[in-house]
């Protein structure tokens, strides 16, 4: 196990989030590898490095200003984020 994975496991546990619902933002292939090993999504901030160096990442951005909630949400686009369906029962008023 990579040392980086231990940090990601610790962070997910402290946030009380399942690994499959976490996104790792990093700047190296090591962070991509560690995230995917745990089932997490990965976002790479390339800075001045060429984007093709990070083909394994789920999302690649040049800088953090390109990272938005919408494009992070799209990382989970093929998954059902609701883990259970709940039906709301409407209460009948006493006068009916």
């Amino acid at each position: 196990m990579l040392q980086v994975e231990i940090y990601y496991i610790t962070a997910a546990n402290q946030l009380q989030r399942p690994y499959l619902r976490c996104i790792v933002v990093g700047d190296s292939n090591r962070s991509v590898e560690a995230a995917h090993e745990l089932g997490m999504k990965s976002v790479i901030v390339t800075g001045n490095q060429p984007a093709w160096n990070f083909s394994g990442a789920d999302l690649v951005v040049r800088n953090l200003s390109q990272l938005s909630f919408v494009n992070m949400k799209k990382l989970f686009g093929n998954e059902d984020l609701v883990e259970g369906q709940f039906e709301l029962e409407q209460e009948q008023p006493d006068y009916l």
Side-chain angles (χ1 to χ4, degrees), residues 53-89:
N53 282 344
F54 305 103
S55 60
D58 296 301
L59 177 64
V60 178
V61 294
R62 176 77 50 205
N63 55 53
L64 288 175
S65 67
Q66 294 178 329
L67 191 58
S68 70
F69 177 76
V70 172
N71 59 18
M72 286 196 307
K73 185 178 175 184
K74 287 180 183 178
L75 293 175
F76 298 103
N78 294 331
E79 299 178 25
D80 184 13
L81 293 180
V82 179
E83 294 182 4
Q85 297 296 323
F86 300 97
E87 276 189 39
L88 297 177
E89 294 181 19

Side-chain angles (χ1 to χ4, degrees), residues 18-29:
Y19 304 149
L20 297 175
R21 298 291 180 252
C22 292
I23 299 174
V24 171
V25 179
D27 63 355
S28 70
N29 282 318

